[in-house]
Amino acid sequence: MILGSVAIEEVLLLLKIGFLLLLYLFIWKIVRTASRDLRAPQESMILAPPRSAGPAAPRRTQGGTLVVVESPTLAAGYERPLNSAPLTLGRGPQNDVSLDGDDYASTRHARIEPRRDGIWIEDVGSTNGTFVNGDRLAEPRRLKPGDVIRIGATDFRFEPARER
């Protein structure tokens, strides 16, 4: 009886020692990772102004309009102006342009973002993909006048802002 309890106590002692070793190894990894992060160069969030040859007027983003060409949910000819704010498109109600009845559109499908150098479109992880002029987007792409954007079963045409 005493021999059995001694063996159990030794096993428990070995388990305690193993647990402590794993705990110390875990803490050592955390400290090592934290110290490596502290030694890494930090990126500055302050951006320098762009270098130019001379004083130039700041470029203003030209907006545009998305016009529905064909859609199971939106009326053909529906226009959505593009201004300086990003625009999200998808089946979910939280999107700026909701394609609620389009079964081929993802909940969060695409994002259109005006930038200094034009209007850009980006697929945000949709299942069926976002297409511009029949080509599937693999990376953000700048829109050109007349580009046809396909999101799910909905087709939009990009029209740039008219000059005033």
Side-chain angles (χ1 to χ4, degrees):
M1 185 79 171
I2 295 177
L3 185 60
S5 67
V6 171
I8 291 174
E9 287 179 13
E10 289 175 357
V11 170
L12 288 175
L13 179 65
L14 289 175
L15 287 174
K16 287 178 187 178
I17 292 171
F19 176 74
L20 285 173
L21 285 174
L22 286 175
L23 182 65
Y24 284 124
L25 180 66
F26 178 71
I27 292 172
W28 177 73
K29 284 217 172 243
I30 289 174
V31 169
R32 193 175 87 180
T33 303
S35 66
R36 188 178 306 148
D37 287 347
L38 289 175
R39 280 185 266 139
Q42 300 296 318
E43 292 183 21
S44 174
M45 294 303 290
I46 300 172
L47 301 175
R51 297 180 191 195
S52 62
R59 287 181 52 188
R60 206 171 64 96
T61 301
Q62 294 293 323
T65 306
L66 278 183
V67 180
V68 174
V69 176
E70 184 180 350
S71 174
T73 61
L74 301 172
Y78 168 80
E79 294 184 358
R80 176 63 193 230
L82 301 170
N83 51 25
S84 61
L87 184 75
T88 57
L89 300 103
R91 199 172 58 221
Q94 74 277 11
N95 292 296
D96 299 312
V97 176
S98 180
L99 305 171
D100 191 26
D102 189 340
D103 295 333
Y104 297 100
S106 295
T107 303
R108 288 191 66 235
H109 200 101
R111 175 185 170 142
I112 297 178
E113 181 179 12
R115 298 181 186 168
R116 298 185 93 198
D117 58 344
I119 308 291
W120 290 75
I121 185 166
E122 171 182 18
D123 185 279
V124 290
S126 67
T127 303
N128 295 323
T130 301
F131 295 83
V132 175
N133 300 328
D135 297 328
R136 187 175 184 145
L137 288 181
E139 58 188 23
R141 178 174 170 173
R142 191 166 128 203
L143 292 174
K144 295 184 283 278
D147 278 348
V148 176
I149 303 157
R150 185 167 189 83
I151 294 174
T154 302
D155 289 336
F156 296 94
R157 183 179 61 251
F158 171 68
E159 296 180 356
R162 295 179 190 92
E163 295 293 323
R164 295 180 189 186

